[in-house]
Amino acid sequence: MRKGLKLTDILVTIVIAVAFGIVYILWGSIYYSVKPLGLHVDQLIYGMWFIAGPVAFLVMRKPGVALLAEIAAASGEFFLGSPWGLTVLLYGVVQGLFAELVFMAFRYKKFNMSVAVLAAIASCVGSVLMDFAYGEIGALSLWNLLLFMIARFIGSIFFAGVFAYYLVKVLEATGVTNLVRPVSSKDYAALDQK
Amino acid sequence: MNVSSAETWLHKINPSLKLFVLIVLCMVALFIKDLNYMINVTMGVLLLFLCFSGHPLNRILLLSIPFCFIFLSTSSAMILFGQGETLWFKWGLISITEESFMRGLLVGFRALLFAVLGLTFSLTTRPVNLFYSLMQQVKLKPKYAYSFMAALRLIPIMLEEFQTIRNAMRVRGVERKKGIRSLYFKMKAYSIPLLSGSIRRAHRIAVAMEAKRFSDTRNRTYYYEFGFSKNDHGFILYFVILLLAGLYLSVQFPYLSI
């Protein structure tokens, strides 16, 4: 078998990601409508921006897909004219990379909710690291920083972990995932049946 | 929506080079900790955006509105809740200090810089050109580049499908629920058909491309050819001068003493 992603895998991943890119753009306005509430309530919904990686991986179940999806979603958001501009590209690469590392740590063999949640947490860590460089959040007062982190972690576990998992679960019911997943030994066994 | 624009020298720059220079500038900006310097660099980039994007001024001003929000929202948290020694104002949890105020402005200007750079890029670059150029100059594999281009073409179809689902729900008299449950229902009702439809379509496109012998070899011919020109030198020179002159001015004529 040839190594690496095939054209079909790449195209499907990128299309899923671009669809999420549109969601990311729309999410920006929701983010700003929540922002005035203050006290980092907005961080609770920040997790939505990590969802493309886990969803794409859970759908495709192949190596490299999570990273590609998060980059593609970020560039889709970028091309559609995100007000954050180049920020989203840099963040996207880091978030995708961190999610990918989690899936890699499980040798791309686990597709359950806990691995999705772990990937979400990893993406969140990546984004927080970026925030230390970009937003200088290390200089916030301690109580404020803690509030910020807790809100963001809860949000990412909910959106990019739990929500992503159930979204793919429902997608599986439509049968569409069978198109793109790698064949398993079960599929071969089905062929042998007389 | 009519988004046509005049061609300026920014349009003629090699797209890969443009992206590369802007990303490098963003990386550099992550390490600029001096407020005066940051202000100078941001001004230089704003100048490019306002004068050379080739779009009419009223559209430029319309597109600038979100920038104000970004500036305010990014800097406000740091100004109100940042650490610092020299206290200016305190009210409950809010404490504004000189250090937090300056750092808030720095963060705000950095966000502004990133935003303006990004918008300048997307206003002056066609995505198709970028991917053709990435294949030719950066040797991006064609299967990635063409997948991106195909996906971007699908965006209008996705929006159309979104509209169709909405109309279908209206025609069938789907009841409007309220609160969190309606949000959940809506997310499910829209995202599942949109996603599954998109996956099926993407799969069909890929099968069709392979059936037509889409090859991933790099020595292929291109409909659009990209090289380098004088504009590219000018572009790099602009940012080199901006970074040096900005540094010089920030040392010699600072706006704020820190």
Side-chain angles (χ1 to χ4, degrees):
Chain A
M1 215 178 88
R2 257 174 50 222
K3 271 201 148 187
L5 296 170
K6 288 178 298 170
L7 175 71
T8 318
D9 308 328
I10 297 171
L11 190 61
V12 173
T13 308
I14 293 180
V15 168
I16 296 176
V18 167
F20 278 110
I22 301 173
V23 174
Y24 285 8
I25 282 266
L26 301 176
W27 207 249
S29 45
I30 299 179
Y31 184 71
Y32 273 112
S33 62
V34 178
K35 193 118 192 170
L37 295 176
L39 294 177
H40 299 309
V41 177
D42 48 314
Q43 295 301 322
L44 281 173
I45 65 164
Y46 197 98
M48 187 57 137
W49 280 304
F50 311 143
I51 196 175
V55 166
F57 175 76
L58 291 177
V59 168
M60 317 277 299
R61 298 188 171 177
K62 281 169 194 163
V65 162
L67 174 63
L68 178 64
E70 194 62 28
I71 294 177
S75 34
E77 189 186 2
F78 174 61
F79 284 125
L80 289 170
S82 163
W84 280 281
L86 278 169
T87 329
V88 297
L89 265 187
L90 297 182
Y91 272 67
V93 173
V94 174
Q95 289 160 7
L97 196 64
F98 274 68
E100 183 72 35
L101 287 175
V102 167
F103 295 128
M104 193 195 283
F106 289 93
R107 294 168 175 273
Y108 303 106
K109 291 220 169 73
K110 286 269 187 296
F111 318 106
N112 50 24
M113 189 186 306
S114 24
V115 77
V117 167
L118 279 179
I121 292 174
S123 286
C124 184
V125 170
S127 75
V128 168
L129 288 180
M130 284 298 286
D131 271 345
F132 269 100
Y134 168 83
E136 311 265 339
I137 56 169
L140 285 171
S141 322
L142 190 63
W143 67 270
N144 206 264
L145 182 62
L146 280 179
L147 198 67
F148 173 90
M149 303 267 248
I150 291 170
R152 184 176 289 188
F153 273 103
I154 293 175
S156 26
I157 289 169
F158 175 71
F159 281 108
V162 178
F163 180 66
Y165 179 79
Y166 280 111
L167 192 69
V168 176
K169 199 114 192 117
V170 183
L171 265 181
E172 272 169 11
T174 67
V176 73
T177 49
N178 296 331
L179 279 177
V180 288
R181 277 184 185 162
V183 282
S184 61
S185 51
K186 222 171 87 190
D187 299 320
Y188 286 116
L191 284 177
D192 287 335
Q193 280 173 2
K194 288 279 159 63
Chain B
M1 192 169 65
N2 177 27
V3 285
S4 61
S5 70
E7 288 249 319
T8 65
W9 65 282
L10 282 181
H11 288 83
K12 294 182 190 127
I13 295 161
N14 184 297
S16 310
L17 180 108
K18 199 186 321 184
L19 186 63
F20 179 73
V21 170
L22 295 192
I23 288 179
V24 168
L25 193 68
C26 283
M27 301 270 196
V28 171
L30 285 181
F31 296 100
I32 297 180
K33 306 284 180 197
D34 182 62
L35 180 58
N36 291 310
Y37 191 21
M38 186 62 95
I39 293 176
N40 286 340
V41 173
T42 310
M43 299 271 226
V45 174
L46 263 179
L47 186 77
L48 270 191
F49 170 66
L50 292 176
C51 304
F52 299 110
S53 71
H55 288 258
L57 193 63
N58 52 7
R59 195 184 299 152
I60 292 282
L61 290 178
L62 193 69
L63 289 170
S64 312
I65 296 172
F67 291 166
C68 308
F69 284 109
I70 289 209
F71 184 82
L72 284 178
S73 73
T74 329
S75 55
S76 62
M78 182 59 71
I79 291 178
L80 297 181
F81 305 114
Q83 293 171 336
E85 302 284 310
T86 330
L87 195 66
W88 280 357
F89 177 78
K90 190 163 172 66
W91 183 71
L93 290 170
I94 297 173
S95 71
I96 302 177
T97 61
E98 188 181 340
E99 288 86 349
S100 72
F101 183 75
M102 294 299 174
R103 203 176 294 110
L105 286 186
L106 175 75
V107 169
F109 272 105
R110 186 181 290 148
L112 191 63
L113 175 72
F114 277 50
V116 175
L117 280 178
L119 197 58
T120 312
F121 181 85
S122 40
L123 283 180
T124 59
T125 317
R126 284 178 53 212
V128 172
N129 291 0
L130 173 68
F131 287 112
Y132 267 87
S133 160
L134 284 176
M135 275 192 284
Q136 291 166 38
Q137 271 88 42
V138 191
K139 306 293 175 209
L140 178 72
K141 282 193 169 186
K143 58 181 176 184
Y144 288 98
Y146 279 94
S147 298
F148 265 102
M149 288 192 274
L152 290 177
R153 288 272 174 150
L154 290 183
I155 292 179
I157 302 180
M158 286 182 202
L159 296 178
E160 205 173 296
E161 272 182 351
F162 176 79
Q163 205 65 42
T164 310
I165 295 172
R166 198 154 80 170
N167 290 340
M169 288 214 276
R170 199 174 291 158
V171 167
R172 292 180 188 179
V174 175
E175 276 179 59
R176 286 201 164 188
K177 296 190 187 97
K178 278 184 185 148
I180 287 288
R181 291 193 59 185
S182 86
L183 196 71
Y184 175 72
F185 172 77
K186 259 189 201 157
M187 289 238 237
K188 216 169 110 173
Y190 285 107
S191 62
I192 298 302
L194 277 178
L195 269 178
S196 63
S198 303
I199 293 173
R200 286 211 174 86
R201 187 171 295 117
H203 188 257
R204 278 205 301 273
I205 293 173
V207 169
M209 280 165 80
E210 282 185 334
K212 290 202 167 193
R213 307 291 295 155
F214 172 81
S215 89
D216 200 33
T217 51
R218 290 205 182 94
N219 51 351
R220 54 193 297 138
T221 51
Y222 296 101
Y223 187 70
Y224 301 107
E225 299 252 3
F226 288 94
F228 295 100
S229 69
K230 268 190 302 194
N231 291 311
D232 301 316
H233 300 142
F235 189 64
I236 296 176
L237 204 63
Y238 180 85
F239 285 108
V240 171
I241 292 176
L242 177 65
L243 286 176
L244 293 179
L247 184 62
Y248 176 77
L249 289 175
S250 70
V251 174
Q252 296 295 324
F253 310 101
Y255 309 102
L256 302 153
S257 55
I258 304 164

